[in-house]
Amino acid sequence: MTGSDGPHREPGSDFRPAGPASERAREEEERAVEQALALVGGSDRTGGAGGSDRRPSRSQDSRGHQDFRDEDPNAGPSSDPHARRSTDSPPYDGRDNDPRDGRTTATPAAATTAATATAPEPVGEQPPLPDRASPGDPAKPRPTLPPPSWNRARAIAARAGRGGPPATIRLPLGRALGHVLAEALGALTDLPSFDTSAMDGWAVAGPGPWAFEAGAGLLAGRGPAAALPDGTAVRIATGARVPPDTTAVIRSEHAHVDEARGLLHARRSVVTGQDIRPRGQECRSGEQLVPAGTVVTPAVLGLAAAAGYDALPVVPRPRVDVLVLGDELLNAGLPHDGLIRDALGPMLGPWLRALGAEGSDPRRLGDDAEALRSALTSSDADLIVTTGGTAAGPLDHVHPVLEALGAELLVDGVAVRPGHPMLLARLSPDGPCLVGLPGNPLAAVSGLLTLAEPLLAGIAGRPAQDPYRALVHADVHGHPHDTRLVPVVHRPGRQGGRDHVAPLRYNGPAMLRGIAAADGLAVVPPGGVRSGTEVEILDLPWAPATPWTEGCFT
């Protein structure tokens, strides 16, 4: 529900518009909170201060505050163990002082009290980090900067993937499927390479009727035939070379054969060149067939073979290692005794392969900083993906291990819900990148599409996909500051109406039920959208190539 100073909202509406009054109140609260945090050294990554899309973790405070605002307000309590919610946590009301928001932890009253306290001495330079992360090490505060917007984070990831010219290998046609062309594909010959018959019938020269001789005639795969004199005809099969001086091909069903007189008559008028595929009709030798960056599909393989290729120059698929973190995860069976099933391990490998990557089975490391460090330093992958552990608690080791290894953080949190604690790092100047995903399943999907997908596209040399927009049929509530990614399904228009997308109910950060039924994700700007608004659509990687088909879209 909305607080007394929040914007008016219609009953049952998920939309939270921000009016001028509420905006001024929000700014005043932000200033007060920032002052309070500056005095007490607050950090949005420590304990209860850090709203996280990860499962409620041991890094949180005793109240277990967690970001659940992305769950459908009309849905019942979640049965997902990731989605536990403390009764201490007040409902999200769309204002900035929500204790589950990663930006603030203090109420306005608390901020006012803190602001009147004596300011502490300036904090000096932090001591150097240890060269290894230990599970027993206390969480170390890090400087906090506003996270980049969703669009900027994707641009940073794409740029990181395009760090250098892509490698090129040549693969036989049978192994090139799914790779990206490293070079434009040019025709090695004219297509077709000679004049061919497009139909079974008769090749004729000059005006009819035409004299013919009995026999099998011209068949595909045979050498050149002698020139055809005027007033004569010869049987011809589809794909056979057309004799020189042929006027047209008459289809068998359009011809009348007078066996007794040895004459062929046309049942329809004959047009010069009909049913003949002339040499070079499809392309001339050297003409570009498809550009570099094209994904090799079955159709591209067929075109390449027709144009004379035995192998193709392609970019190697990016190699990805997946590291699953968390001692609470089960590999099989029903959840029990505080343990939960690992939903990300089975999902990430196939999803990454759908994005054009190659990788081995996920490795489960538990909550072991040394195991994580060893896995990072021994990996020869182009990209390492970790799940969970992106907060700053005693058992969240991703940040400490990255710091100990001297990694460069390119993205440390993104202004998107779910999934805002995601991160992108480069382990060394010439080394692989790491994408740290939150532990909550839908938040991890958000991280995949926000950071991993553009990064992998850059490594593989794929061109950026053109964004497109669609109408959304329903109000969709938004976060006050951040972009939201909401699972949607395509619906065809009725009675001449436009096709549209409809949001799905189960869209909480710990839920997969919505994305499992979705065609894509709607990019909802801060503040939300009203029904009938156009929103950007993120394709899922297995969506078909034909847009606006029944039940799905790209």
Side-chain angles (χ1 to χ4, degrees), residues 68-69 82 133 141 167 173 180 184 187 208 232 285 293 345 355 376 431 433 449 472 492:
F68 288 91
R69 73 196 65 189
H82 287 294
L173 296 185
V180 174
T232 62
S285 179
L355 292 175
L376 297 185
C433 285
L449 297 180
V472 60

Side-chain angles (χ1 to χ4, degrees), residues 391-439:
L395 293 177
D396 292 323
H397 303 305
V398 174
H399 278 95
V401 170
L402 290 177
E403 292 165 351
L405 293 176
E408 178 189 6
L409 272 177
L410 305 177
V411 175
D412 192 9
V414 178
V416 66
R417 305 298 172 110
H420 61 284
M422 67 182 75
L423 63 86
L424 170 63
R426 191 179 295 281
L427 297 186
S428 64
D430 298 322
C433 285
L434 178 143
V435 169
L437 302 178

Side-chain angles (χ1 to χ4, degrees), residues 4 42 80 173 230 294 303 315 325 377 393 407 545:
S4 58
D80 193 312
L173 296 185
D230 277 357
T294 300
L303 176 61
V315 180
L325 312 181
T377 55

Side-chain angles (χ1 to χ4, degrees), residues 447-487:
L448 276 176
L449 297 180
T450 300
L451 297 178
E453 186 273 333
L455 179 72
L456 289 171
I459 296 173
R462 297 173 186 246
Q465 294 188 2
D466 293 332
Y468 69 94
R469 305 174 71 83
L471 291 177
V472 60
H473 271 212
D475 293 350
V476 184
H477 81 272
H479 187 272
H481 317 287
D482 298 349
T483 298
R484 282 193 72 211
L485 301 181
V486 179

